[in-house]
Amino acid sequence: MPFLFAHILAMMLSALFIFSAHAYAKDSQDCQGCHTNPVYKKEDAERLKECLTCHGTAGHPYRKSTLTLSLPLKGGGKKGGESGSVTPKSDLSRMILIPEGEFIMGTDVRLKDEKPSYVVYLDAFYIDRFEVTHEDYKKFVEGAGHPPPDNWENANYPQGKGRHPVVFVDWNDASEYCKWLGKRLPREAEWEKGARGTDGRTYPWGEVWAANKSNNPFGGHEDTMTVGSFEEGKSPYGLYDMSGNVWEWVDDYYLPIQ
């Protein structure tokens, strides 16, 4: 059965977002407004943070509002190309299913181009557990006859870097790699939900910055590291290196704030 796939491809060094849920019971009257109100308002983003402590990493799957982004589970939903579906090359064992539901995207307290926080609904999708490694990309270079990255010599990646994320790839390289696997790049909202969870936390591991939970210069690292090196830094859905190690391509345009 075909599914909508999202695929990450790496580029350079970065640090970004995330969440972890605590479940507790809410009074039924207290929840009634969320389940019956047909449209979210801006202030509902704060209310949703409380609701998602009950709903956990799945988010709130019971309704879609007119103010949310919805991507189909099969076909469509992609700028600049076709959505991918399952092919024999697609390895589900290395992917994570992100469940349907609402999550808080953006923030009101950080950088200007991360504002504002708002509620987004997404259908379920799959996304890779790890960044794309040199070993992964070499199969593509050889199998598709695609040009290797500029830092490779004689079509071979740097020695000892097989399980490090591939670098020196542009957006078109990333997109072609995904298509070759029958997948596609994730949309920004999909990437952010996978990395950040549902309740708008700042980092994959919680709200407090910790230099030892990702590959970053403050942790004493000056190069890429083997993917999945930081068990305590993974996202609520089990995605690794969503903060640090390398930048990752998505299938959305970046527009400057006016």
Side-chain angles (χ1 to χ4, degrees):
M1 175 172 145
F3 292 91
L4 178 69
F5 279 86
H7 200 87
I8 295 176
L9 197 62
M11 195 175 93
M12 284 174 50
L13 219 54
S14 87
L16 264 113
F17 303 116
I18 221 59
F19 142 76
S20 189
H22 304 282
Y24 65 89
K26 299 287 287 184
D27 183 78
S28 59
Q29 282 296 114
D30 199 25
C31 297
Q32 186 175 356
C34 279
H35 287 271
T36 58
N37 181 20
V39 177
Y40 274 125
K41 300 176 182 177
K42 175 65 181 70
E43 56 267 26
D44 288 329
E46 287 300 317
R47 178 71 180 94
L48 188 64
K49 290 182 182 180
E50 300 177 29
C51 296
L52 290 175
T53 58
C54 286
H55 292 290
T57 56
H60 186 303
Y62 300 109
R63 64 179 180 79
K64 305 177 186 181
S65 85
T66 56
L67 301 182
T68 62
L69 168 67
S70 180
L71 297 177
L73 193 62
K74 176 184 176 182
K78 181 181 185 296
K79 290 183 181 177
E82 300 288 326
S83 286
S85 59
V86 175
T87 74
K89 294 180 181 178
S90 299
D91 184 1
L92 289 178
S93 67
R94 299 178 64 185
M95 304 187 83
I96 297 291
L97 176 63
I98 309 299
E100 67 169 317
E102 292 148 338
F103 79 106
I104 296 171
M105 186 170 180
T107 177
D108 292 321
V109 296
R110 284 170 52 91
L111 301 178
K112 184 178 180 181
D113 61 356
E114 296 175 354
K115 299 179 180 180
S117 63
Y118 58 102
V119 177
V120 173
Y121 179 95
L122 291 177
D123 284 338
F125 62 95
Y126 279 90
I127 192 167
D128 279 11
R129 186 188 304 267
F130 301 105
E131 293 162 322
V132 177
T133 67
H134 284 100
E135 290 178 351
D136 298 327
Y137 201 74
K138 185 173 177 62
K139 296 175 183 176
F140 166 59
V141 169
E142 294 177 344
H146 193 84
D150 289 343
N151 66 327
W152 290 22
E153 293 186 8
N154 300 318
N156 291 312
Y157 54 77
Q159 187 174 5
K161 295 293 184 68
R163 294 298 300 158
H164 285 228
V166 66
V167 293
F168 289 89
V169 293
D170 63 22
W171 186 93
N172 291 303
D173 293 327
S175 181
E176 288 301 314
Y177 172 79
C178 295
K179 290 177 182 178
W180 183 71
L181 288 173
K183 303 180 182 182
R184 64 166 176 80
L185 288 168
R187 301 298 299 274
E188 179 187 6
E190 293 170 327
W191 189 95
E192 185 165 334
K193 183 177 181 180
R196 198 179 185 191
T198 56
D199 73 349
R201 292 196 180 188
T202 305
Y203 304 104
W205 52 84
E207 195 59 39
V208 180
W209 167 250
N212 64 343
K213 293 185 178 180
S214 67
N215 181 15
N216 65 85
F218 300 102
H221 306 294
E222 298 181 355
D223 197 359
T224 58
M225 294 181 64
T226 301
V227 299
S229 294
F230 296 88
E231 185 69 24
E232 293 184 1
K234 64 184 180 182
S235 86
Y237 297 109
L239 305 181
Y240 288 84
D241 298 307
M242 299 303 275
S243 174
N245 217 11
V246 293
W247 290 99
E248 297 166 357
W249 288 112
V250 297
D251 191 18
D252 278 284
Y253 293 105
Y254 176 83
L255 298 176
I257 295 175
Q258 301 298 321

